[in-house]
Amino acid sequence: MIDTHCHLDFLSDPHEALLDAQAAGIHRVVVPSVEVSNFSRVRALATANPQVYYCLGLHPCVVLGSAEDDLRRLKEELAVSLADPKFLGVGEIGLDHYLPGLDRMAMEQVFHAQLRLARDFDLPVVLHVRRAQDLVLKGLRRFGIQHGIAHAFNGSHSQAQAFLKQGFHLGFGGTLTYSGSRQIRRLAVDLPLESIVLETDSPDIAPSWLSRGESNTPKQIRGIAGVLAELRGVPISEIEAVTSRAAAAALSRLPAEAL
Ligand SMILES: [Zn+2]
């Protein structure tokens, strides 16, 4: 199985988290970056660990300020990374209209600049989208981006359909494990399983069974898959097989045989 979204470099012990994941049958972990300063950390983790892959991008909640320098660096790093088989795409990028106090104009400019890079380098994108689904979709259409993942998906049914129509896959994780997440649970049951990828977003969005203070790590993918299997009324083996194939379809540089 694969954790399609894990901030491994923010975990207290990435090495132990990977060993635990391996033992639980999670053989692939995709690590997005959030700012220029962690590009080398995510790449180093991928280089040192056969099961780790990475993306490079500027997160909408992290980056602002000297975006021009950051975008120039990102462009250089993307060009260099094309030769790296562990490199998968541009991410995590997007729009966040949930957190207050962020400069939405600047955020959108940085997002569009990165969509342009994804288009020019022909790379999939990993998206962070909060309360801005329609604007993100507009950007994807404008730049003709047709592959990637809308991570921690939390939009409506019709927005979900619009992402699928655009060629995107939708990421589901810890939020799915809470019985109160009615809208997200309904979506996860109604959508074609082929359109769903699993993620922990660790260390964020801990599943319901972790106690406060217990850290969220990639091994939780198995429990998340179990919840999805129960909600959809299918065997967990089917969830594993189909969502792993979906991840390879969404992130086209991911070697299929490695799943
Ligand atoms: Zn993230």
Side-chain angles (χ1 to χ4, degrees):
M1 299 194 74
I2 173 164
D3 184 351
T4 61
H5 199 107
C6 164
H7 295 281
L8 198 59
D9 54 322
F10 290 99
L11 299 185
S12 56
D13 191 342
H15 185 67
E16 195 190 316
L18 287 173
L19 286 176
D20 289 349
Q22 191 86 18
I26 291 89
H27 299 298
R28 293 292 174 265
V29 175
V30 179
V31 185
S33 56
V34 296
E35 59 181 333
V36 167
S37 71
N38 83 330
F39 286 1
S40 58
R41 285 206 307 276
V42 300
R43 183 184 286 131
L45 280 166
T47 305
N49 299 284
Q51 66 273 55
V52 177
Y53 294 79
Y54 69 103
C55 297
L56 297 177
L58 308 172
H59 193 292
C61 305
V62 178
V63 175
L64 292 170
S66 65
E68 255 174 57
D69 288 347
D70 288 353
L71 286 165
R72 194 170 342 102
R73 269 295 297 284
L74 175 62
K75 186 177 178 179
E76 289 166 10
E77 297 280 345
L78 291 176
V80 169
S81 303
L82 290 175
D84 183 352
K86 305 305 284 297
F87 169 68
L88 298 183
V90 179
E92 93 180 72
I93 68 172
L95 298 176
D96 194 312
H97 285 189
Y98 172 73
L99 285 183
L102 298 176
D103 180 342
R104 292 184 180 177
M105 284 279 276
M107 191 189 279
E108 191 165 318
Q109 278 170 9
V110 174
F111 177 50
H112 285 180
Q114 294 183 92
L115 290 180
R116 189 175 291 118
L117 290 173
R119 180 194 66 193
D120 292 349
F121 287 112
D122 193 18
L123 290 166
V125 302
V126 173
L127 295 169
H128 171 104
V129 193
R130 280 206 293 187
R131 304 250 170 104
Q133 273 82 8
D134 294 339
L135 265 184
V136 165
L137 280 161
K138 209 169 142 189
L140 297 178
R141 291 190 197 109
R142 175 173 163 193
F143 292 95
I145 308 293
Q146 291 173 320
H147 291 288
I149 295 169
H151 125 80
F153 189 76
N154 54 15
S156 68
H157 261 75
S158 62
Q159 286 164 334
Q161 293 301 341
F163 274 99
L164 301 195
K165 199 170 159 215
Q166 188 63 27
F168 270 69
H169 287 72
L170 307 178
F172 289 86
T175 311
L176 190 66
T177 65
Y178 292 87
S179 56
S181 307
R182 294 221 181 83
Q183 157 98 347
I184 282 174
R185 285 185 155 206
R186 218 174 298 134
L187 263 177
V189 170
D190 292 347
L191 291 171
L193 188 54
E194 297 74 27
S195 65
I196 292 177
V197 298
L198 301 181
E199 59 174 53
T200 61
D201 200 17
S202 42
D204 296 333
I205 321 188
S208 57
W209 49 83
L210 291 188
S211 54
R212 201 176 262 279
E214 216 178 329
S215 87
N216 181 24
T217 61
K219 73 174 176 191
Q220 302 300 336
I221 283 291
R222 186 156 291 283
I224 292 167
V227 170
L228 187 56
E230 209 178 299
L231 290 172
R232 292 185 70 109
V234 299
I236 189 168
S237 57
E238 185 181 331
I239 300 291
E240 290 180 16
V242 178
T243 59
S244 295
R245 275 204 304 275
L251 303 166
S252 49
R253 290 172 59 93
L254 194 68
E257 73 274 15
L259 295 167

